[in-house]
Amino acid sequence: MTDFIQHLASEKRHSPRTCDSYQRDLQRLAAWLVEQNHTQWRAVGGYDLRRYVANLSRQGLSGRSIARHLSAIRRFYQYLLRERLATDNPALDIRPPKSSRRLPGVADVDQLNYLLDATPDDPLEVRDRCMFELMYSSGLRLAELASLDLNAVDRKSGEARVAGKGDKTRILPVGRKALEAIAQWLPIRAELAPQTETALFVSRRGDRLSHRSIQARLSRWGVVKGADQKLHPHMLRHSFASHMLESSGDLRAVQELLGHADIATTQVYTHLDFQHLARVYDQSHPRARRRSPRDNGDQNSGQKGSE
């Protein structure tokens, strides 16, 4: 298992976070197999893995989480086959249980404007607002924001170079408000960070801000500035996508901006957009509005009179 993780890191060039995720999933499987008195990977069969999936489901894991586990197991057995440490891949025909697809949470445009227009109370809040402006402006993932370096944002052209999943680089537009927020943050950053630090966003100690710290600061901003829902990084990305789609209707453009390899991933936002349109339709279209009992009574009385 250790050799497999090293293979992912060195040959497949997966990120440390991805490797850690694979390792946790496989260690969980290994612990369960030991409880079932299995001592060799080659002895594990499809029946065993179906029992394992059932066990994960009983523990409350969603279908999506179980699918991630199965993906790690399939990749691991591909490696074992290559190394001739197994004779088949028992996970190939195992399917995770279906789970309902949750639509991503989206913040209202007016609320986001209110929160982003709030005045920072200290230097670190200047940094926080800058991060959130940039995330909402360009639809960044949490990992993409955390990995930004100083030279990643070209303020003259209003563009940012972002390293997405699989180390795929894309160039994204940066809005005027986000550029203004960066200009306010950079003098403060210069006082905190040593010259050797390349990160755009740093902690009070001057080192690169961690994922957990960004999540905590966004949640704090929402509480302090009076948000009516819990804020998290994915909400800003989802809000960016939904608001862009509502305004433009261009699914392909939103796909490119988000860095989705498959447009099917982006299509979830069409459901959000349709929900918005359906509400507007129900409230506005004369043939769609539900009539009140009084309306029905007036209609019925009119019919009786004409008869």
Side-chain angles (χ1 to χ4, degrees), residues 43-233:
V44 178
Y47 172 73
D48 300 305
L49 292 184
R50 287 187 178 89
R51 290 178 57 216
Y52 178 63
V53 165
N55 179 64
L56 293 178
S57 183
R58 285 194 298 271
Q59 292 180 21
L61 266 71
S62 67
R64 185 172 182 178
S65 295
I66 294 174
R68 191 198 69 216
H69 275 259
L70 286 171
S71 176
I73 296 169
R74 290 190 196 100
R75 290 285 300 276
F76 180 49
Y77 268 93
Q78 288 174 2
Y79 174 78
L80 293 179
L81 285 169
R82 193 191 80 167
E83 299 297 314
R84 298 185 179 181
L85 298 173
T87 57
D88 67 342
N89 190 335
L92 282 180
D93 297 326
I94 311 295
R95 295 290 177 266
K98 291 185 178 180
S99 58
S100 58
R101 189 174 189 182
R102 293 185 302 170
L103 294 178
V106 173
D108 180 78
V109 175
D110 291 336
Q111 171 151 179
L112 275 181
N113 283 333
Y114 169 77
L115 291 172
L116 292 173
D117 287 340
T119 302
D121 294 325
D122 57 55
L124 292 184
E125 283 197 357
V126 173
R127 176 203 62 194
D128 295 344
R129 186 175 68 172
C130 179
M131 292 192 299
F132 310 149
E133 281 279 10
L134 191 53
M135 190 173 287
Y136 178 55
S137 167
S138 304
L140 301 182
R141 298 180 177 96
L142 171 60
E144 293 170 347
L145 181 80
S147 65
L148 282 179
D149 287 334
L150 269 174
N151 60 3
V153 179
D154 187 335
R155 289 191 287 158
K156 289 184 178 179
S157 63
E159 294 177 339
R161 180 181 291 102
V162 176
K165 287 187 175 181
D167 285 334
K168 293 182 179 177
T169 301
R170 65 189 191 280
I171 305 299
L172 296 175
V174 179
R176 175 177 57 85
K177 289 285 189 179
L179 292 173
E180 292 174 357
I182 291 173
Q184 294 171 3
W185 158 241
L186 287 179
I188 298 172
R189 181 204 173 279
E191 296 178 0
L192 296 174
Q195 292 185 348
T196 54
E197 178 57 64
T198 62
L200 176 58
F201 296 110
V202 298
S203 69
R204 67 171 71 247
R205 298 183 303 274
D207 56 348
R208 187 180 295 271
L209 206 60
S210 69
H211 294 200
R212 190 178 296 275
S213 295
I214 295 173
Q215 291 172 318
R217 295 297 294 192
L218 177 54
S219 178
R220 175 188 177 278
W221 183 274
V223 172
V224 172
K225 304 305 178 184
D228 59 10
Q229 58 190 129
K230 184 176 180 180
L231 297 184
H232 54 85

